[in-house]
């Protein structure tokens, strides 16, 4: 994977405070971030655009993050692509990581989202230059 100067992010998150937090995290970078407020919106964005990474809340209206991820992974089988999906999880339970991975997510970040963890995952999964 080549290093990238800019990336496209999809943030699927219905909580405004978390949207604002992540916007603030990345405000110094000229990256593009689309924000989906519901599961269906997230799925539409993912179908219509190509993202370097998707940040996926679990609890969202219409479709939850697990279901959105499963659909994205199903559809990716046709195109043989794989967009990294990082769960944004409010739970700190032991089986969380397993549930996220079983749904097809690559990794997860626990809320409240830590600045350093956030950039560590972004760098790991997109090779973006920070
Ligand atoms: Mn939520």
């Amino acid at each position: 994977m080549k290093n990238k100067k800019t990336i496209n992010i999809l943030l699927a998150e219905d909580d405004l405070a978390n949207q604002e937090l992540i916007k603030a995290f990345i405000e110094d970078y000229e990256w593009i971030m689309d924000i989906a407020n519901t599961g269906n919106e997230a799925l539409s964005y993912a179908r219509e655009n190509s993202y370097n990474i998707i940040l996926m809340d679990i609890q969202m209206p219409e479709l939850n993050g697990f279901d959105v991820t499963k659909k994205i992974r199903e559809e990716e089988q046709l195109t043989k692509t794989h967009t990294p999906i990082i769960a944004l999880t409010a739970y700190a339970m032991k089986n969380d990581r397993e549930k996220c991975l079983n749904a097809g997510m690559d990794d997860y970040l626990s809320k409240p989202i830590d600045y350093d963890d956030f950039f560590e995952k972004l760098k790991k999964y997109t090779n973006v230059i920070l």
Side-chain angles (χ1 to χ4, degrees):
M1 220 193 313
K2 265 187 154 178
N3 288 346
K4 295 178 183 68
K5 283 186 181 156
T6 187
I7 49 171
N8 294 353
I9 302 170
L10 173 60
L11 173 60
E13 169 64 80
D14 63 321
D15 184 272
L16 291 180
N18 270 311
Q19 291 179 8
E20 292 305 319
L21 179 75
I22 292 173
K23 275 191 217 167
F25 281 179
I26 69 161
E27 71 181 354
D28 290 340
Y29 299 94
E30 288 178 20
W31 300 341
I32 294 161
M33 186 166 76
D34 290 329
I35 299 178
N37 292 284
T38 70
N40 283 339
E41 236 179 79
L43 196 55
S44 304
Y45 271 116
R47 282 173 175 156
E48 288 160 19
N49 303 279
S50 169
Y51 295 102
N52 297 109
I53 194 163
I54 298 175
L55 305 170
M56 186 74 74
D57 182 29
I58 302 298
Q59 290 174 304
M60 290 185 288
E62 298 161 0
L63 274 180
N64 68 36
F66 296 125
D67 292 337
V68 176
T69 300
K70 283 178 192 161
K71 282 192 190 288
I72 290 172
R73 292 298 183 232
E74 273 169 33
E75 291 170 18
E76 280 181 342
Q77 295 198 349
L78 303 170
T79 51
K80 307 275 181 225
T81 53
H82 181 95
T83 304
I85 300 178
I86 311 300
L88 306 178
T89 172
Y91 326 106
M93 288 189 281
K94 253 190 180 173
N95 64 350
D96 245 32
R97 187 183 162 78
E98 209 172 316
K99 269 177 89 178
C100 293
L101 299 182
N102 285 344
M105 291 160 175
D106 297 276
D107 211 328
Y108 74 101
L109 283 163
S110 335
K111 295 176 185 177
I113 296 161
D114 176 80
Y115 184 88
D116 292 331
D117 289 348
F118 176 82
F119 281 100
E120 191 191 308
K121 301 286 187 209
L122 232 61
K123 232 177 123 175
K124 177 176 176 187
Y125 288 96
T126 70
N127 275 18
V128 73
I129 300 164
L130 298 177

